[in-house]
Amino acid sequence: MPKSLISIHDLSKEEILHILHTASAFEREPDSSLLRHKVIATLFFEPSTRTRLSFETAANRLSARIIGFTDSGSTSVTKGESIKDTIKTVSNYADLIVIRHPLEGSARYASEVSSVPVINAGDGANQHPSQTLLDMYSILKTQQSLDGLQLTLVGDLKYGRTVHSLLQAMSLFSTRFTFVSPPELAMPLEYKQFLQHRNLSYKESKDLLPHIPEADILYITRVQAERFSEPMEYEKVKNVYSLTASMLHPCKPNLKILHPLPRVNEIALDVDNTPQAYYFEQARNGIYTRMAIMAYLLGLT
């Protein structure tokens, strides 16, 4: 079975550092013919802007050709075709598959039936490993290290697949964690037990302001309406946090604010002009990181 990236656990610490090092090399030289004879399939069963465009830009930067779809409504899925048949068919056409799907576990299943590497671009509230790697690349660039940092995760910690993957990856680097969320969106028990088994410290709070001065990285997520089955439950928590520029005093001089985007109201526009804001640069880092992931899975350097 070819090497795929479905969960951040599919990579060792050494592989993660190798990919981040390669991303740095691609940032210095972003145009390459490394994949000029490769075809990349992007299968997005769920809407996406940044992830899809970032992967397609990365593939273009590497001179690959791209096939795929952005709306499953225009595919044979509407005729009842199974994900197994879709993946087995597309793996005959492409050298690598990037898939986003609303069902948890769908990407892992795709990798088990595919004859080519599969990259999970998000499966429900489960995992989003390429986002995790670009987040880690952003942290490394801004902090010059991944070791011993204070990482404060804010917002939807229950359904947010980006924070789940980031927590697991950063646990390899002696990270200290603070979880800030309303009780309804608290970090699931399994992830807290994951940290306990690794003897890593974490604390939980409903209040953001007291934890800003201690943070090296403030990682903010939106409350995702699409993850709620009851609209009223979403309405109760949708605007629970809104970071403003005035809240950043005092803060550490090295503090950077990350957000997987899109944002709604959780970061005010006046934060964009502060030296702490890094979320748009973070999105750009996704291009270099995804170039590195594709090159690594295809065994190319």
Side-chain angles (χ1 to χ4, degrees):
M1 187 180 296
K3 175 81 171 178
S4 293
L5 178 58
I6 307 304
S7 160
I8 199 64
H9 291 304
D10 293 334
L11 300 175
S12 66
K13 182 177 181 178
E14 291 70 28
E15 287 176 305
I16 289 172
L17 292 173
H18 170 77
I19 288 171
L20 300 185
H21 176 75
T22 305
S24 179
F26 280 133
E27 182 169 8
R28 292 192 298 271
E29 296 285 343
D31 293 308
S32 166
S33 58
L34 195 61
L35 301 189
R36 63 188 177 278
H37 300 305
K38 301 296 184 182
V39 176
I40 307 299
T42 54
L43 311 184
F44 279 73
F45 293 85
E46 188 178 53
S48 168
T49 301
R50 272 150 299 275
T51 302
R52 180 179 63 83
L53 293 179
S54 177
F55 266 113
E56 293 184 357
T57 301
N60 277 308
R61 291 283 190 191
L62 292 168
S63 305
R65 285 158 290 179
I66 301 164
I67 62 172
F69 54 81
T70 60
D71 177 11
S72 61
S74 62
T75 72
S76 293
V77 171
T78 60
K79 303 174 184 177
E81 183 175 57
S82 67
I83 187 172
K84 176 183 178 181
D85 288 4
T86 300
I87 296 300
K88 288 188 77 68
T89 300
V90 173
S91 63
N92 290 324
Y93 304 152
D95 298 287
L96 182 147
I97 293 172
V98 180
I99 181 172
R100 168 170 285 196
H101 198 284
L103 294 180
E104 294 183 21
S106 55
R108 177 68 69 193
Y109 179 68
S111 72
E112 291 169 354
V113 300
S114 174
S115 58
V116 300
V118 173
I119 299 175
N120 179 8
D123 60 333
N126 187 26
Q127 287 269 344
H128 196 352
S130 70
Q131 177 73 44
T132 303
L133 289 165
L134 78 87
D135 292 342
M136 296 178 79
Y137 183 54
S138 300
I139 294 170
L140 181 59
K141 279 181 65 177
T142 60
Q143 309 297 318
Q144 285 73 58
S145 175
L146 291 171
D147 290 303
L149 298 174
Q150 172 63 49
L151 179 58
T152 300
L153 305 175
V154 183
D156 181 0
L157 308 186
K158 180 177 181 180
Y159 300 110
R161 58 192 171 199
T162 60
V163 293
H164 299 162
S165 296
L166 185 60
L167 177 152
Q168 293 172 319
M170 289 299 292
S171 71
L172 299 170
F173 298 92
S174 302
T175 307
R176 302 182 305 279
F177 295 91
T178 299
F179 305 141
V180 179
S181 71
E184 301 95 324
L185 296 175
M187 183 65 72
L189 178 62
E190 63 190 278
Y191 295 103
K192 291 184 279 191
Q193 291 176 335
F194 176 89
L195 294 179
Q196 291 167 1
H197 292 156
R198 284 154 181 77
N199 296 315
L200 292 174
S201 66
Y202 70 87
K203 52 189 176 182
E204 296 182 274
S205 176
K206 293 185 294 184
D207 301 315
L208 172 58
L209 200 57
H211 301 287
I212 293 176
E214 69 193 24
D216 296 305
I217 295 290
L218 199 57
Y219 194 98
I220 299 180
T221 65
R222 73 182 170 95
V223 178
Q224 305 171 86
E226 64 270 28
R227 304 294 176 212
F228 286 78
S229 56
E230 293 293 333
M232 288 306 297
E233 291 301 309
Y234 168 69
E235 290 295 324
K236 282 165 50 180
V237 295
K238 68 176 182 179
N239 293 320
V240 66
Y241 302 113
S242 182
L243 181 70
T244 63
S246 63
M247 295 167 67
L248 297 174
H249 306 287
C251 69
K252 289 185 177 182
N254 60 303
L255 173 68
K256 291 298 181 217
I257 301 162
L258 303 185
H259 190 304
L261 301 177
R263 69 170 163 184
V264 185
N265 301 314
E266 59 276 3
I267 299 178
L269 294 178
D270 65 358
V271 176
D272 295 357
N273 298 321
T274 68
Q276 291 80 28
Y278 196 75
Y279 26 90
F280 295 119
E281 293 89 339
Q282 174 190 2
R284 184 177 64 232
N285 290 337
I287 298 170
Y288 315 122
T289 309
R290 287 170 172 134
M291 290 170 73
I293 293 167
M294 289 190 284
Y296 179 68
L297 294 180
L298 289 169
L300 301 171
T301 57

